[in-house]
Amino acid sequence: MGTKQKPLNEMTLEELTVREKATKTSIAVMAVAIAIMAITGVYITIKNGFSVFTVMPIIFLSLLFVNVGVLKKIRQEIAAKQ
């Protein structure tokens, strides 16, 4: 049972700022993880041939794009409230 987050348009400016910082941190951590997976995937592909590790970074890249889209929406909402 998770807590349901408020829609962005119902959040205060302070809540949006906190969410923006958390989302930026999440994006940075995810980008580093994807880079490590990509490097590892290339190494494993060279050593052992094609495997699931070859496509894992591509799959996780879609999650990164979703988070970037969320960050953009948060920033738009912050701009609208200022």
Side-chain angles (χ1 to χ4, degrees), residues 7-58:
L8 294 178
N9 61 354
E10 293 179 9
M11 290 182 162
T12 65
L13 191 55
E14 184 178 327
E15 289 173 322
L16 286 167
T17 304
V18 169
R19 181 123 184 243
E20 178 189 29
K21 287 179 183 178
T23 304
K24 285 191 323 189
T25 302
S26 172
I27 288 170
V29 169
M30 196 177 302
V32 169
I34 290 170
I36 291 169
M37 282 191 285
I39 293 166
T40 304
V42 168
Y43 175 76
I44 290 173
T45 301
I46 291 170
K47 290 290 265 184
N48 303 329
F50 186 82
S51 71
V52 70
F53 296 106
T54 307
V55 295
M56 273 180 51
I58 297 167

